[in-house]
């Protein structure tokens, strides 16, 4: 099954949401699913995703054009979704 995880930010200090997505994605990949995470590049940490990418999880960060509080606008993420969304069986937001 192809699974897409969507989050507004993905870094170690962001806490619960990033932690859950990281561990859930790793576990799903180990069970044989094809997992992709898309996120903004806000405080993005390559080291944080290192273990995931070694197991086959794909992580795609998108450039933040601007942010307002907890809202991160990433124009290219929307374009990517338009082109790729139909290739996934499950989308977890």
């Amino acid at each position: 099954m192809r699974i897409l995880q969507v989050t507004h930010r993905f870094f170690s200090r962001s806490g619960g949401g990033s932690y859950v997505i990281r561990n859930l994605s790793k576990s799903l990949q180990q069970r044989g699913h094809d997992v992709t995470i898309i996120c903004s590049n806000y405080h993005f940490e390559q080291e944080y995703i290192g273990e995931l990418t070694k197991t086959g999880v794909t992580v795609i960060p998108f450039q933040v054009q601007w942010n307002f509080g907890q809202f991160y606008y990433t124009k290219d993420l929307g374009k990517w979704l338009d082109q790729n969304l139909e290739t996934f069986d499950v989308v977890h937001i």
Side-chain angles (χ1 to χ4, degrees):
M1 185 178 299
R2 289 186 40 99
I3 301 170
L4 176 63
Q5 306 264 31
V6 182
T7 184
H8 65 299
R9 58 187 181 188
F10 191 60
F11 60 98
S12 61
R13 294 184 324 258
S14 67
S18 292
Y19 180 80
V20 168
I21 289 172
R22 185 172 184 263
N23 289 325
L24 179 60
S25 297
K26 183 179 174 184
S27 189
L28 288 167
Q29 184 72 30
Q30 290 171 344
R31 288 176 169 80
H33 300 289
D34 182 10
V35 181
T36 300
I37 300 169
I38 59 174
C39 57
S40 74
N41 70 342
Y42 182 78
H43 289 298
F44 187 76
E45 300 169 345
Q46 189 66 39
E47 306 81 39
Y48 189 65
I49 65 150
E51 182 183 339
L52 284 177
T53 57
K54 288 178 186 174
T55 64
V57 173
T58 302
V59 180
I60 306 171
F62 292 91
Q63 179 68 40
V64 173
Q65 271 71 44
W66 57 269
N67 69 315
F68 181 73
Q70 296 278 328
F71 179 79
Y72 310 105
Y73 176 70
T74 55
K75 176 179 67 173
D76 294 335
L77 187 145
K79 290 179 184 178
W80 186 92
L81 282 172
D82 285 342
Q83 296 171 355
N84 297 284
L85 187 60
E86 291 182 11
T87 66
F88 292 92
D89 301 306
V90 174
V91 178
H92 181 222
I93 300 174

